[in-house]
């Protein structure tokens, strides 16, 4: 009864944006009276009509799902904080606002009165990455007053919404185990140093950072505040080789301010990590014996000369070096800093023919800086097989006698009896003692080098020959040192 009868009937069945031409006879218009000064009596009226909006007091919110992601671990609930993009139009398609034009999401709490009622309801149940069309009748929007100059009174509103992310201020991190190693002897705890690769994305999948792009792991202590709190928590309990997804709410990430131009304020962060290795600065060398010959009595000691084959890799299986690549075994004198400390420790107390796995933390390996082909702070895994060993000599000695030395050592060493001992005579004499089993040389892959070092030690004035005085002086110093050690 608020319209003339002809218009009441003529609007029936119209759709929004439909255009109609209505011819209203006088008896369905203003009849024999008309409208003073405007419509004469008994006038037929012609209306060209376009329907802009329509709603009913019984209407409810209309929600259409335009896209829903395959994975949806959580949906919007009251008191959640959401970040979303939207395009806002009137029912006839007239644009009135868009977050995209501001190049920023609309960020707000849901169900706390910060939004119009229709949007508060329309966002409930959405997944991150979901797109919805929400049609809101005016009594759930801006009602009789409208909003400024862009939303007329009694206007229905249409929002096309893309939910970027959501969280609740009470949220902790969430973990998803993507891949677990078959065996996990130890899990990371506070104070451990972890090397891991990661891809960091927002909840909508936008990549903001990746260690893979730098071809370098991210290396840090955990539980000590060196990383955002969410990662400090999310790395607890990881295994070497594990792949894990860590979802970090903003209050455990970069908060309301975000970081740089890639992480917006109040953004939920998703880290897909792959743990390469971890260790603790207090870790010792780990030794696992794979096989050991029966009846083994003699084992390696410091100063022994050993030959062994090895394969060296990172804990994730990346091969670094192998003696098999060179077709000959590795050689070293133990306890003389010829190999890294951890490997020296791992090679002690081995039997010839024994096979071991030796796991070496970086502080007993190549340290924070690494070495050629070895990343910094890397835990190393050696597979070792001992091929041979030769008894060493005490520290500080290159040669020891099996019995008492000759009474007239200088005369015996001076082969041509000219009162001088050049390198050739010295070398010939020492080699003769070795052949006759009267003494033994510090084991080495090159005995001539050791003998040359012995000669240099005896040649005090470095004139290329040894005199009786030099030999006696050196011998007296050795005796004094032996007495001090005893």
């Amino acid at each position: 009864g608020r319209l003339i009868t002809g218009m009441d009937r003529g609007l029936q069945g119209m759709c929004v944006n439909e255009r109609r031409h209505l011819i209203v006879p006088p008896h369905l218009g203003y009849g024999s009276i008309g409208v003073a000064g405007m419509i004469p009596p008994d006038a037929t009226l012609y209306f060209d009509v376009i329907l802009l909006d329509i709603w009913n007091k019984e209407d409810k919110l209309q929600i259409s799902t335009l896209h829903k992601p395959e994975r949806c671990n959580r949906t919007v609930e009251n008191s959640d904080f959401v970040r979303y993009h939207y395009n806002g139009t009137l029912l006839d398609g007239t644009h009135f606002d868009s977050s995209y034009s501001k190049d920023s999401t609309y960020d707000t709490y849901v169900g706390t009165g910060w939004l119009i009622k229709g949007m508060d309801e329309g966002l409930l149940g959405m997944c991150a990455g979901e797109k919805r069309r929400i049609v809101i009748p005016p009594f759930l929007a801006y009602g009789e007053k409208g909003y400024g100059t862009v939303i007329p009174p009694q206007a229905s509103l249409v929002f096309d919404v893309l939910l970027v992310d959501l969280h609740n201020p009470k949220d902790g991190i969430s973990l998803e185990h993507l891949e677990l190693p078959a065996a996990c002897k130890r899990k990371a705890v506070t104070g451990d140093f972890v090397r891991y690769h990661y891809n960091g994305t927002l909840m909508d999948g936008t990549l903001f950072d990746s260690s893979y792009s730098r071809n370098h792991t991210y290396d840090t202590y955990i539980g000590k505040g060196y990383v955002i709190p969410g990662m400090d928590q999310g790395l607890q309990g990881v295994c070497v080789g594990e792949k894990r997804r860590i979802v970090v709410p903003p209050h455990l990430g970069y908060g309301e301010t975000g970081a740089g131009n890639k992480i917006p304020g109040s953004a939920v962060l998703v880290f897909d990590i792959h743990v390469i290795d971890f260790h603790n600065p207090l870790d010792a060398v780990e030794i696992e014996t794979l096989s050991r010959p029966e009846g083994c009595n003699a084992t390696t000691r410091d100063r022994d000369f050993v030959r062994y084959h090895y394969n060296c890799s990172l804990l994730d299986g990346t091969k670094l070096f192998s003696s098999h690549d060179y077709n000959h075994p590795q050689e070293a004198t133990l306890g003389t800093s010829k190999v890294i400390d951890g490997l020296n420790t791992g090679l002690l107390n081995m039997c010839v023919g024994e096979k071991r796995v030796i796991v070496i933390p970086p502080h007993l390996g190549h340290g924070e800086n690494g070495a050629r082909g070895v990343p910094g702070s890397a835990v190393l895994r050696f597979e070792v097989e001992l091929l041979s060993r030769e008894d060493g000599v005490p520290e500080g000695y290159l040669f020891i006698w099996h019995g008492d030395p000759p009474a007239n050592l200088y005369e015996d060493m001076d082969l041509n009896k000219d009162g001088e001992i050049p390198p050739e005579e010295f070398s010939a004499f020492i080699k003769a003692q070795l052949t006759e089993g009267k003494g033994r040389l510090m084991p080495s892959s090159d005995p001539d080098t050791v003998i040359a070092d012995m000669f240099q030690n005896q040649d005090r004035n470095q004139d290329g020959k040894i005199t009786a005085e030099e030999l006696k002086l050196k011998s007296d110093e050795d005796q004094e040192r032996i007495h001090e050690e005893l």
Side-chain angles (χ1 to χ4, degrees):
R2 298 192 179 190
L3 290 168
I4 57 174
T5 305
M7 186 63 78
D8 250 347
R9 296 179 183 178
L11 293 174
Q12 295 285 338
M14 282 191 77
C15 300
V16 172
N17 283 332
E18 181 179 342
R19 296 174 182 270
R20 282 186 178 179
H21 184 67
L22 306 180
I23 303 173
V24 181
H27 62 281
L28 297 178
Y30 293 95
S32 59
I33 300 174
V35 176
M38 184 179 298
I39 300 174
D42 296 319
T44 299
L45 307 178
Y46 295 81
F47 290 92
D48 286 320
V49 177
I50 176 170
L51 190 66
L52 301 179
D53 196 345
I54 177 175
W55 56 273
N56 190 283
K57 292 179 181 179
E58 305 300 322
D59 281 350
K60 295 185 176 4
L61 208 64
Q62 298 177 44
I63 298 174
S64 305
T65 300
L66 307 179
H67 169 75
K68 193 162 189 172
E70 293 182 5
R71 294 169 54 87
C72 182
N73 296 328
R74 169 169 174 194
T75 61
V76 176
E77 299 176 3
N78 280 324
S79 79
D80 282 346
F81 189 88
V82 295
R83 297 193 313 117
Y84 63 92
H85 273 300
Y86 69 90
N87 282 319
T89 65
L90 304 180
L91 206 59
D92 66 348
T94 301
H95 172 84
F96 65 81
D97 195 14
S98 174
S99 63
Y100 296 97
S101 64
K102 304 180 184 71
D103 197 30
S104 176
T105 53
Y106 191 84
D107 307 341
T108 187
Y109 286 94
V110 175
T112 57
W114 289 21
L115 292 165
I116 56 174
K117 291 182 179 180
M119 189 61 85
D120 255 344
E121 294 178 22
L123 292 170
L124 293 175
M126 284 191 79
C127 304
E130 182 176 343
K131 293 181 180 179
R132 277 185 180 180
R133 176 164 291 160
I134 305 171
V135 182
I136 305 175
F139 52 85
L140 294 177
Y142 294 99
E144 296 180 359
K145 295 181 179 179
Y147 187 83
T149 60
V150 293
I151 299 177
Q154 302 290 18
S156 300
L157 306 181
V158 180
F159 288 94
D160 284 339
V161 174
L162 167 62
L163 187 66
V164 174
D165 70 22
L166 69 148
H167 75 277
N168 195 283
K170 298 179 182 179
D171 285 348
I173 62 169
S174 66
L175 301 178
E176 182 179 350
H177 301 284
L178 305 178
E179 185 177 316
L180 286 170
C184 182
K185 295 182 179 179
R186 172 180 162 189
K187 296 182 178 181
V189 296
T190 292
D192 284 345
F193 190 87
V194 184
R195 297 193 315 122
Y196 62 95
H197 272 301
Y198 70 90
N199 283 321
T201 65
L202 305 179
M203 280 192 82
D204 64 355
T206 300
L207 182 73
F208 63 80
D209 194 18
S210 174
S211 64
Y212 296 99
S213 65
R214 294 185 289 274
N215 197 29
H216 194 287
T217 54
Y218 191 84
D219 307 339
T220 187
Y221 287 95
I222 62 170
K224 292 192 169 187
Y226 290 173
V227 291
I228 57 174
M231 285 300 285
D232 252 349
Q233 296 175 21
L235 290 167
Q236 296 282 342
V238 293
C239 301
V240 171
E242 181 178 347
K243 293 183 178 180
R244 178 182 282 193
R245 176 167 291 158
I246 305 171
V247 181
V248 181
H251 51 276
L252 296 176
Y254 292 100
E256 295 181 3
T257 56
N261 58 5
K262 291 190 175 181
I263 300 179
S266 300
V268 177
L269 308 179
V270 181
F271 292 92
D272 285 344
I273 67 162
H274 179 202
V275 179
I276 303 301
D277 65 30
F278 63 86
H279 73 281
N280 193 281
L282 300 178
D283 283 349
V285 175
E286 296 179 26
I287 299 173
E288 178 186 358
T289 300
L290 302 180
S291 64
R292 186 180 177 98
E294 294 183 4
C296 171
N297 296 319
T299 60
T300 53
R301 299 173 297 174
D302 268 339
R303 312 295 296 172
D304 282 356
F305 180 73
V306 296
R307 291 181 176 86
Y308 57 95
H309 269 308
Y310 72 90
N311 293 315
C312 176
S313 63
L314 302 179
L315 289 193
D316 67 349
T318 301
K319 179 181 174 182
L320 298 181
F321 314 106
S322 174
S323 60
H324 299 281
D325 294 339
Y326 307 106
N327 297 318
H328 60 78
Q330 183 77 10
E331 300 175 337
T333 300
L334 299 179
T336 58
S337 301
K338 299 298 183 183
V339 296
I340 55 176
D341 291 345
L343 184 56
N344 194 93
T345 300
L347 288 168
L348 293 176
N349 302 312
M350 284 191 79
C351 301
V352 173
E354 183 175 341
K355 294 181 179 180
R356 284 181 175 180
V357 171
I358 305 168
V359 179
I360 302 173
H363 51 275
L364 297 174
H366 292 287
E368 293 182 7
N369 297 324
R372 186 174 182 181
V374 179
S377 300
V379 180
L380 301 179
R381 182 181 189 274
F382 282 86
E383 296 175 353
V384 174
E385 179 183 7
L386 185 65
L387 302 178
S388 67
R389 62 171 287 275
E390 298 176 30
D391 284 338
V393 299
E395 185 175 358
Y397 289 84
L398 299 175
F399 176 90
I400 59 171
W401 297 97
H402 288 160
D404 291 331
N408 300 310
L409 178 59
Y410 190 81
E411 288 79 1
D412 289 356
M413 197 176 290
D414 183 8
L415 301 180
N416 62 6
K417 309 305 179 186
D418 63 353
E420 295 180 346
I421 303 172
E424 296 78 14
E425 283 186 339
F426 184 85
S427 178
F429 175 80
I430 295 297
K431 288 181 177 178
Q433 309 311 302
L434 297 173
T435 301
E436 296 170 12
K438 294 181 179 180
R440 88 174 174 271
L441 200 64
M442 185 188 82
S444 171
S445 59
D446 185 9
D448 288 335
T449 299
V450 178
I451 294 172
D453 289 343
M454 291 173 62
F455 183 86
Q456 291 294 324
N457 288 343
Q458 298 291 342
D459 183 10
R460 299 289 292 235
N461 59 14
Q462 302 296 304
D463 60 356
K465 57 183 181 292
I466 298 173
T467 65
E469 294 297 328
E470 287 175 327
L471 189 64
K472 182 178 184 304
L473 179 61
K474 189 69 176 178
S475 177
D476 289 345
E477 287 180 352
D478 286 343
Q479 290 296 329
E480 184 178 344
R481 182 162 57 83
I482 290 170
H483 283 302
E484 287 178 355
E485 291 177 354
L486 289 175

